């Protein structure tokens, strides 16, 4: 796979069915100084897009301060022209000082707001928010497990201007993420108090709970013993602590029958607060059915009344806790009044997504767009469900005759409503279609239907032809104009076909992007939580700045994602001309907006991780993929141009190390060893070149910097010559073919890889125990030891309910923003408390998703053994490196982690990189081994070779 392809695919996520800017991408002229549409010999070929389509106005030209000629006002063009002028020793028209200070671009006035004005605006917003708190708190409650309330109350005080959303997506088994407000608590400094102060604010007494009535529903009717319910039927409640899905479950029993049959359950959101009240305070509830639904399995509206409460202050009983739980229960009931009980999960989740986005990012939608999105909730239940069903399916076209969902009563009526409101687009006999739409419609037909159309048109049809071949034959006839009746023939067989409208596709894709902030997650993330397959951690969202400050930035980001999708699809289809066009588009976009890129002189490191949501970041990934493609085509000069572009534009980026290495290598490919050496030497002075990339450049400098190019030996030469201990073992090979992973027979006679063979060797020779995990076990140990720090209160790094790590984890900002928390934790690890921290973290967070932590691959016993055998100073040093630069040290760790005990409490550990025949250490692996040796670890390389048979 090309370098950067996998990363780009993850960024794109699920490919969009409709690209609003596709026509512009395919046909618009490209203002790029690079023409990649050339032959293999490097000669530029004229294309339709380059034949006089790009006109440069006089306002786009600037005057060279050296020779006085006019050049295009792009940074790369200006710099290249200046380099040529200065290399020719042309007489300078300006001094060096004025040359450096000259502003080639047009001066642009920037709106600046003083810090005093900013504070004044922020304070006014805070006063407004605080005044609305009492109204919001009745609708906005935190869905936190009652057992966790005390720990949440002890959260540290936040600055006066910060708003915090406390996220707990793991609080519910049935519907853990039912609504944004249901999982959100807004804190303000003036309102954030400790438990003692909160007691004074709690109205009422425990006795006031008795006699209070609340309206709720019976759910889970499919698990009931009695399918029919009668209006006014008496009911009672009974806890079900043995329920395997939810220990807080509460059964609803029929009090009318002698055997007390189960009618269903209370909603899980309500049961999690009433259950501890029933258990601790002997609360009892009775009630009756207030309405009978049309369908027997639908939720049944009921009213329940608290009969009595026994409070004696014993058994952990706390009057404040009882009132707090009752208040939470009332908030659940109040919220449920605006939430239809029979709404399907996916429908609820989709509405939640839209509501959350419109609330958090209203500035990114026009008035008409907001009106269109808001109108979705006013549609009928069937229409909402049908649209979400179609939106989440592959499509894009669907035959109306085949749409059947049990929860949708009248699909035909839903289609009419969605079509009338602009959410669906219908294909009928008179509809005009594009060629791509015709291809999608043909794919809806069966093979027999396609053959029937070909026979009707009297075209040659082979019975053994595949479906794609039949579609291609019909399309060729349609495009050639020899088959004008094809559209009617399709409609006669499919009848009405439907698809989501382009407007709906675009707006809801944007809403999904803003909600999840990545391409890897979609509405299925809700489902994984609802089914308790994934449990996300609890953290506070402290949002002080928007990811997209204005809509133009968002639209540019969306267009960049489209270009990325086009190049990804083009590589699949081997459309290399379109691949090159996308590379040129990305190059031109980056060169046209240098003011958007991160400057190395900027003190705001937070801007680095926010830049991942910029169009320039996406285009840089497109260019990186393009560089790999060009290098495979041996077009090194074009690759060099693009690498220089990236290095010039992104001066503060952790990827600079890889770019510099590739630039030095490509320069050597075209026969420029001196320039290659200069690039490598300059890269070693770059603070953003780290880990394996730095070592690769150091080794290149040592190889290239020989007399007469360089006479002085670099200072780092001795460190590179450090010896890494090597152990050589032999094994009976199963295969010795080049290009295939080496396989051997183990000591037990079974087939195994070189890593398993090495594990057997160390177990036999030194009594070592261990695992083959590479970086996996270390990322798990780091995540568990630093859990509280990963999910600590840092502004702007947690923005969604579905994050497994802070957004800044791959940046320098991670360590700097949490240094006061990280260093004390590292000191504890240094002092030998790592095993205790590990056990506590494992027990508290078992099964919760966290980046790097693999709960299934590593057992607690293995982790404890590894941590106890590694000395505290070594482990603390390793964790510090990961905290300071997680991205650079994420990969390349040794294959094996071994340990053995000396007695009950003391032990030692060893890390081993295993290499089979023909394998060599990568620069990243070498960097890791040297780093581990510096940290005090026992590290070595185990080389496996085939057994040499004597003649």
């Amino acid at each position: 796979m090309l370098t950067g392809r996998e990363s780009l695919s993850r960024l794109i996520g699920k490919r969009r069915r409709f690209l609003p800017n596709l026509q512009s991408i395919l046909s618009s002229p490209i203002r790029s100084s690079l023409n990649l549409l050339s032959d293999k010999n490097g000669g530029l070929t004229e294309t339709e897009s380059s034949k006089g389509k790009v006109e440069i106005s006089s306002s786009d030209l600037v005057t060279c301060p050296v020779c006085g000629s006019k050049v295009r006002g792009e940074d790369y063009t200006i710099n290249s022209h200046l380099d040529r002028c200065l290399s020719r020793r042309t007489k300078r028209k300006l001094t060096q000082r004025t040359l450096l200070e000259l502003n080639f671009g047009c001066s642009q006035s920037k709106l600046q707001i003083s810090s005093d004005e900013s504070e004044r605006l922020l304070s006014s917003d805070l006063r407004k928010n605080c005044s609305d708190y009492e109204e919001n708190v009745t609708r906005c409650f935190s869905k936190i497990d009652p057992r966790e309330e005390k720990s949440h109350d002890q959260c540290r005080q936040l600055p006066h201007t910060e708003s915090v959303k406390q996220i707990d997506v793991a609080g519910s088994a049935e519907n853990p993420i039912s609504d944004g407000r249901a999982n959100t608590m807004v804190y303000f400094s003036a309102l954030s108090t400790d438990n003692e102060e909160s007691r004074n604010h709690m109205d009422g007494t425990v006795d006031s709970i008795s006699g209070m009535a609340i309206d709720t529903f019976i759910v889970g009717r499919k698990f009931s013993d009695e399918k029919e319910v009668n209006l006014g039927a008496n009911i009672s409640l009974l806890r079900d602590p043995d329920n395997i899905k939810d220990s807080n479950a509460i059964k609803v029993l029929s009090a009318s029958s002698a055997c007390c049959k189960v009618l269903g359950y209370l909603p899980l959101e309500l049961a999690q607060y009433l259950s501890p009240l029933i258990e601790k305070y002997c609360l009892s509830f009775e009630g009756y059915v207030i309405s009978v639904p049309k369908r027997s399995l639908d939720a049944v509206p009921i009213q329940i009344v608290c009969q009595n409460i026994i409070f004696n202050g014993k058994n952990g009983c706390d009057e404040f806790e009882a009132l707090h739980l009752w208040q939470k229960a009332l908030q659940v009931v109040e919220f449920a009044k605006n939430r239809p009980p029979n709404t399907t999960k996916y429908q609820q989740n989709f509405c939640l997504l839209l509501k959350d986005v419109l609330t958090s990012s209203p500035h990114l939608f026009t008035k008409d767009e907001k009106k269109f999105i808001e109108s979705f909730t006013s549609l009928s239940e069937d229409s909402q469900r049908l649209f979400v069903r179609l939106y989440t399916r592959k499509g894009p076209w669907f035959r109306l005759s085949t749409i059947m969902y049990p929860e949708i009563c009248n699909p035909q009526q839903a289609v009419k409503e969605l079509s009338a409101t602009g959410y669906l687009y219908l294909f009928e006999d008179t509809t005009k279609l594009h060629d791509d739409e015709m291809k999608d419609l043909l794919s809806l037909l069966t093979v027999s239907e396609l053959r029937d159309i070909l026979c009707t048109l009297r075209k040659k049809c082979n019975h053994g032809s595949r479906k794609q071949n039949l579609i291609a034959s019909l399309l060729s006839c349609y495009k050639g104009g020899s088959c004008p009746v094809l559209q009617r023939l399709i409609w006669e067989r499919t009848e009405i076909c439907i698809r989501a409208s382009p407007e709906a596709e675009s707006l809801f894709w944007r809403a999904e992007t803003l909600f999840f902030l990545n391409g890897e997650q979609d509405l299925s993330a809700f489902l994984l939580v609802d089914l308790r397959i994934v449990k996300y951690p609890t953290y506070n969202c402290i949002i002080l700045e928007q990811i997209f400050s204005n809509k133009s930035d968002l639209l540019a980001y969306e267009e960049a994602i489209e270009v990325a999708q086009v190049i990804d699809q083009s590589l699949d289809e081997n459309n290399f001309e379109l691949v090159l066009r996308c590379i040129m588009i990305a190059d031109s976009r980056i060169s046209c907006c240098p003011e958007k890129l991160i400057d190395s002189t900027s003190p705001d490191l937070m801007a680095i991780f926010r830049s991942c949501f910029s169009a320039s970041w996406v285009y840089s990934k497109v260019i990186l993929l393009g560089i790999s493609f060009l290098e495979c085509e041996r077009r090194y000069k074009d690759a060099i141009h693009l690498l220089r572009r990236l290095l010039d534009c992104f001066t503060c980026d952790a990827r600079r190390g890889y770019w510099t290495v590739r630039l030095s290598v490509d320069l050597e490919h075209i026969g420029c060893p001196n320039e290659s050496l200069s690039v490598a030497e300059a890269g070693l002075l770059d603070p953003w070149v780290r880990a394996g990339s730095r070592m690769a450049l150091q080794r290149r400098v040592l190889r290239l910097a020989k007399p007469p190019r360089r006479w002085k030996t670099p200072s780092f030469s001795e460190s590179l010559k450090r010896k890494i201990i090597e152990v050589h073992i032999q094994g009976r090979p199963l295969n010795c073919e080049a290009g295939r992973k080496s396989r051997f027979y183990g000591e037990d006679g079974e087939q195994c890889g070189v890593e398993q063979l090495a594990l057997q060797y160390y177990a036999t020779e030194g009594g070592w125990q261990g695992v083959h995990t590479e970086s996996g076990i270390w990322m798990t140990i780091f995540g568990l030891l630093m859990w509280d720090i990963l999910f600590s209160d840092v502004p702007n790094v947690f923005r969604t309910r579905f994050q497994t790590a802070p957004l800044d984890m791959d940046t320098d900002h991670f360590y700097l923003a949490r240094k006061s928390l990280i260093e004390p934790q590292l000191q504890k690890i240094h002092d030998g408390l790592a095993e205790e921290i590990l056990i506590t973290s494992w027990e508290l967070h078992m099964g919760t998703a966290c980046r790097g932590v693999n709960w299934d691959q590593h057992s607690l016993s293995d982790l404890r053994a590894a941590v106890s055998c590694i000395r505290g100073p070594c482990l603390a040093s390793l964790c510090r490196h990961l905290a300071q630069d997680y991205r650079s040290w994420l990969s390349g760790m040794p294959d094996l982690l071994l340990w053995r005990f000396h007695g009950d409490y003391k032990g030692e550990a060893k890390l081993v990189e295993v290499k089979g025949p023909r394998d060599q250490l990568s620069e990243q692996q070498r960097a890791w081994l040297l780093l581990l040796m510096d940290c005090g670890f026992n590290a070595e390389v185990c080389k496996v070779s085939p057994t040499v048979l004597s003649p």
Side-chain angles (χ1 to χ4, degrees):
M1 180 180 287
L2 296 174
T3 301
R5 179 79 185 274
E6 183 179 356
S7 175
L8 190 71
S9 297
R10 289 198 306 269
L11 179 66
I12 298 167
K14 181 181 177 181
R15 289 177 179 175
R16 299 175 64 182
R17 297 177 293 200
F18 172 73
L19 299 179
N21 300 296
L22 179 61
Q23 200 58 36
S24 173
I25 293 171
L26 297 177
S27 59
S28 296
I30 305 172
R31 299 184 58 179
S32 174
S33 57
L34 177 67
N35 186 357
L36 295 177
L37 301 177
S38 57
D39 56 33
K40 292 185 178 180
N41 297 324
L44 296 180
T45 59
E46 221 176 9
T47 62
E48 292 299 323
S49 61
S50 61
K51 291 182 180 180
K53 287 192 176 182
V54 180
E55 298 180 2
I56 304 174
S57 64
S58 59
S59 61
D60 293 327
L61 300 176
V62 296
T63 302
C64 173
V66 179
C67 65
S69 60
K70 296 285 186 179
V71 295
R72 292 173 60 176
E74 298 175 355
D75 283 358
Y76 181 81
T77 305
I78 293 172
N79 293 334
S80 300
H81 180 82
L82 284 175
D83 289 341
R84 288 194 297 272
C85 286
L86 296 176
S87 64
R88 291 196 302 266
R89 297 186 180 182
T90 308
K91 183 178 179 180
R92 302 183 183 183
K93 295 180 177 292
L94 299 172
T95 65
Q96 184 70 33
R97 179 182 178 87
T98 55
L99 178 63
L100 293 174
E101 293 179 350
L102 185 64
N103 182 10
F104 289 93
C106 301
S107 60
Q108 297 180 354
S109 60
K110 295 183 179 180
L111 179 62
Q112 297 181 349
I113 302 177
S114 66
S115 58
D116 293 339
E117 179 68 11
S118 177
E119 291 178 3
R120 184 185 65 80
L121 293 174
L122 198 55
S123 298
S124 64
D125 289 340
L126 180 62
R127 286 193 297 270
K128 181 180 182 298
N129 289 332
C130 289
S131 65
D132 295 338
Y133 177 78
E134 292 299 329
E135 178 184 357
N136 291 336
V137 76
T138 61
R139 299 170 300 167
C140 179
F141 61 94
S142 173
K143 199 156 89 160
I144 302 172
D145 191 284
R147 296 185 299 268
E148 300 176 1
E149 289 293 341
K150 291 184 179 180
S151 63
H152 289 289
D153 289 339
Q154 296 171 357
C155 291
R156 63 184 180 87
Q157 294 287 332
L158 297 171
H160 184 67
T161 57
E162 294 178 355
S163 64
V164 185
K165 293 196 299 183
Q166 184 162 28
I167 305 302
D168 181 9
V169 299
S172 171
E174 181 184 0
N175 187 15
I177 307 178
S178 57
D179 187 87
R181 296 178 186 268
N183 297 284
T184 304
M185 178 175 286
V186 181
Y187 291 97
F188 294 99
S189 179
L191 298 169
S192 297
T193 57
D194 58 21
N195 289 339
E196 293 300 326
E197 294 172 338
S198 298
R199 293 172 187 265
N200 298 329
H201 295 158
M202 191 70 68
D203 296 331
T205 63
V206 174
D207 295 334
S208 64
I209 298 177
S210 297
M212 294 188 66
I214 55 178
D215 293 338
T216 182
F217 303 92
I218 304 176
V219 298
R221 292 278 293 144
K222 62 182 178 180
F223 303 108
S224 64
D225 299 330
E226 186 73 36
K227 299 304 179 185
E228 298 296 331
V229 294
N230 300 318
L231 183 64
N234 294 325
I235 58 172
S236 61
L237 304 184
L238 177 67
R239 283 200 66 236
D240 185 14
D242 298 328
N243 190 299
I244 60 175
K245 290 189 175 180
D246 179 23
S247 59
N248 290 321
I250 299 178
K251 294 179 180 179
V252 180
L253 305 178
S254 172
S256 302
S257 60
C259 56
C260 293
K261 293 184 177 180
V262 177
L263 300 180
Y265 292 83
L266 281 188
L268 187 144
E269 296 87 351
L270 179 59
Q272 68 173 328
Y273 297 114
L274 291 187
S275 182
L277 284 172
I278 294 175
E279 180 182 9
K280 284 188 176 184
Y281 307 104
C282 301
L283 234 68
S284 64
F285 289 88
E286 294 180 359
Y288 62 94
V289 176
I290 59 178
S291 178
V292 178
K294 295 180 180 180
R295 293 181 291 187
S296 61
L297 296 183
D298 282 353
V300 180
I302 60 174
Q303 184 178 90
I304 57 176
V305 180
C306 177
Q307 295 299 319
N308 65 295
I309 181 169
I310 300 175
F311 176 76
N312 54 20
K314 297 180 180 180
N315 299 325
C317 297
D318 184 353
E319 183 176 3
F320 166 71
E321 181 186 15
L323 288 171
H324 184 66
L325 291 171
W326 182 253
Q327 185 186 51
K328 290 289 185 182
L330 293 179
Q331 289 173 353
V332 171
V333 172
E334 183 68 23
F335 173 75
K337 291 180 180 179
N338 299 320
R339 175 183 168 193
N342 297 316
T343 306
T344 55
K345 292 284 186 181
Y346 63 84
Q347 181 185 355
Q348 294 174 17
N349 295 335
F350 193 74
C351 292
L352 161 64
L353 185 149
L354 299 180
K355 184 177 181 180
D356 186 275
V357 169
L358 288 179
T359 303
S360 61
S361 306
H363 63 292
L364 300 178
F365 298 89
T366 65
K367 185 177 179 180
D368 291 338
E369 289 172 342
K370 285 189 281 190
K371 184 178 179 181
F372 183 82
I373 295 176
E374 289 169 350
S375 67
F376 181 81
T377 55
S378 63
L379 297 173
S380 65
E381 296 290 324
D382 279 352
S383 296
Q384 291 184 30
R385 294 168 185 169
L386 178 61
F387 181 83
V388 178
R389 283 284 195 179
L390 299 181
Y391 178 76
T392 53
R393 287 178 58 180
K394 183 178 179 181
W397 287 97
F398 306 92
R399 297 169 75 158
L400 181 58
S401 58
T402 62
I403 294 178
M404 289 181 293
Y405 296 106
E407 72 274 18
I408 300 176
C409 301
N410 193 339
Q412 288 76 17
Q413 184 61 35
V415 167
K416 289 182 180 180
E417 183 180 7
L418 289 170
S419 176
T421 52
Y423 286 92
L424 286 186
Y425 177 74
L426 273 62
F427 164 63
E428 298 175 310
D429 187 28
T430 57
T431 306
K432 294 183 179 179
L433 299 174
H434 298 292
D435 292 344
D436 292 338
E437 292 177 317
M438 181 64 71
K439 181 179 179 181
D440 293 330
L441 283 170
L442 285 171
S443 64
L444 295 178
L445 300 174
T446 63
V447 173
S448 59
E449 289 174 330
L450 291 170
R451 287 174 179 160
D452 184 33
I453 292 178
L454 284 170
C455 293
T456 303
L457 297 174
R458 298 181 180 180
K459 301 293 182 182
K460 184 178 179 180
C461 175
N462 297 325
H463 288 282
S465 299
R466 299 173 60 186
K467 182 175 181 178
Q468 295 303 321
N469 296 332
L470 298 175
I471 292 175
S473 299
L474 288 171
L475 279 177
S476 61
C477 298
Y478 180 74
K479 292 179 180 178
S482 60
C483 184
V485 297
L486 178 60
Q487 183 170 322
R488 180 178 58 81
L489 295 175
I490 295 175
W491 185 83
E492 288 176 354
R493 287 156 178 81
T494 63
E495 297 181 343
I496 297 177
C497 294
I498 58 176
R499 63 165 296 174
S501 66
E503 181 182 10
E505 284 266 5
S506 298
L507 287 179
F508 292 139
W509 180 88
R510 180 185 302 171
E512 249 186 322
T513 302
L514 292 173
F515 187 85
F516 292 107
L517 291 177
N518 63 71
E520 297 182 84
Q521 291 177 311
D522 53 23
L523 288 169
S524 62
F526 287 96
L527 179 62
L528 295 176
V529 176
D530 289 338
L531 297 177
R532 306 191 74 176
I533 297 174
V534 178
K535 177 184 177 183
Y536 287 93
T538 301
Y539 44 77
N540 292 330
C541 288
I542 309 172
I543 301 176
L544 304 181
E545 299 179 25
Q546 293 285 347
I547 290 287
F548 298 99
S549 57
N550 53 67
K551 188 174 181 180
S552 61
D553 288 345
L554 175 61
L555 293 177
Y557 179 78
E558 291 181 0
E559 183 181 359
I561 293 292
E562 291 185 42
V563 174
Q565 179 174 328
V566 171
I567 191 174
D568 194 41
Q569 290 176 328
S570 301
L571 287 171
D572 288 342
E573 299 166 0
N574 293 325
N575 187 347
F576 295 151
E577 183 175 351
L578 190 52
V579 169
L580 296 174
R581 180 176 179 82
C582 290
I583 298 171
M584 293 170 61
I585 291 174
D587 177 58
S588 65
R589 297 291 194 275
I590 287 182
S591 63
C592 290
C593 55
E595 71 278 2
K596 299 273 184 174
L597 308 185
I598 301 300
D599 184 10
S600 60
T601 61
S602 172
D604 184 13
L605 288 175
M606 190 179 298
I608 299 174
F609 74 82
R610 286 204 307 267
S611 69
C612 296
F613 302 98
S614 66
S616 300
W617 175 271
V618 180
Y619 286 129
S620 70
K621 286 184 169 289
V622 173
I623 290 178
L624 179 60
L625 178 60
I627 290 169
S628 181
F629 173 80
L630 292 170
E631 288 175 338
C632 290
E633 296 290 313
R634 299 183 182 276
R635 298 176 62 170
Y636 298 116
K637 289 185 178 180
D638 294 331
I640 288 170
H641 171 92
L642 294 173
L643 285 166
R644 292 190 186 278
R645 174 79 77 198
L646 292 176
L647 290 168
D648 289 343
C649 293
F650 296 87
T651 58
C652 189
D653 197 299
R655 300 171 294 174
R656 289 179 60 84
Y658 177 79
W659 298 342
T660 305
V661 172
R662 295 312 310 167
L663 178 58
S664 179
V665 170
D666 289 345
L667 285 169
E668 190 174 9
H669 280 320
I670 64 173
C672 300
N674 290 328
E675 194 172 355
S676 175
L677 174 59
S678 298
V679 167
E681 291 173 331
L684 293 177
L685 302 177
D686 190 339
W688 293 96
V689 177
R690 303 165 180 173
S693 298
R694 174 167 290 274
M695 180 154 291
L697 290 178
Q698 288 176 342
R699 291 167 66 84
R700 288 191 64 79
V701 169
L702 281 183
R703 184 172 61 81
L704 295 173
K706 295 179 180 179
R709 293 196 189 102
R710 300 291 187 272
W711 295 94
K712 185 178 179 180
T713 303
S715 58
F716 52 78
S717 60
E718 292 301 322
S719 64
L720 288 183
K721 295 178 182 178
R722 291 169 58 189
K723 294 294 183 181
I724 301 174
I725 299 175
E726 292 186 0
V727 175
H728 296 267
I729 64 175
Q730 291 185 340
R732 187 158 58 99
L734 177 65
N735 67 306
C736 295
E737 300 177 16
R740 294 183 61 186
K741 185 175 178 61
S742 300
R743 300 286 295 174
F744 290 83
Y745 289 103
E747 295 182 0
D748 55 359
E750 298 294 329
Q751 299 179 15
C752 63
V754 291
E755 295 84 6
Q756 286 72 28
L757 189 64
L759 280 173
Q760 295 175 9
Y761 165 79
Y762 283 104
T764 303
E765 295 297 323
W768 294 93
Q769 296 176 286
V771 290
H772 169 220
T773 65
E774 299 180 4
S775 301
I777 194 169
W778 294 106
M779 299 302 109
T780 298
I781 291 173
F782 176 80
L784 292 174
L785 294 179
M786 311 295 281
W787 189 287
D788 292 338
I789 295 168
L790 286 172
F791 302 104
S792 59
D793 294 340
V794 177
N796 299 314
V797 299
F798 290 107
R799 293 177 176 270
T800 79
R801 301 174 180 84
F802 300 92
Q803 289 182 227
T804 58
L807 292 177
D808 65 341
M809 191 168 179
D810 285 333
T811 69
D812 292 3
H813 180 267
F814 176 82
Y815 175 80
L816 296 176
R818 303 165 181 81
K819 187 175 181 180
S820 60
L821 300 175
I822 293 175
E823 288 303 328
Q825 187 78 345
L826 293 177
Q827 186 60 46
K828 292 180 182 179
I829 297 172
H830 183 278
D831 296 339
L833 299 178
E835 186 177 1
E836 180 181 342
I837 298 172
L838 184 80
I839 295 172
T840 303
S841 184
W842 180 281
E843 293 176 347
L844 287 176
H845 310 295
M846 173 64 180
T848 303
C850 175
R851 181 178 175 187
V853 177
N854 191 324
W855 299 101
D856 298 326
Q857 186 175 0
H858 312 291
S859 65
L860 179 59
S861 59
D862 284 349
L863 295 173
R864 289 183 61 184
V867 168
S868 61
C869 289
I870 300 172
R871 293 184 296 111
C874 297
L875 188 56
S877 179
L878 177 64
C879 289
R880 178 176 287 104
H881 277 85
L882 288 174
Q884 290 176 340
D885 194 0
Y886 192 87
R887 178 190 176 95
S888 296
W889 298 108
L890 181 61
S891 61
M893 289 202 72
D895 296 308
L896 308 182
L897 171 59
L898 308 175
W899 62 83
R900 62 183 177 186
F901 287 95
H902 304 297
D904 295 334
Y905 301 103
K906 292 185 179 180
E908 61 176 322
K910 177 184 291 189
L911 289 92
V912 181
E913 179 65 39
V914 184
K915 289 297 174 187
R918 303 176 302 275
D919 288 344
Q920 297 293 327
L921 284 175
S922 69
E923 302 299 347
Q924 182 72 7
Q925 291 170 341
R926 188 179 298 274
W928 254 120
L929 288 170
L930 294 179
L931 174 65
L932 291 170
M933 293 166 60
D934 292 338
C935 293
F937 283 90
N938 181 8
E940 64 187 36
V941 177
C942 177
K943 293 190 174 182
V944 182
S945 59
T947 302
V948 179
L949 299 177
S950 56

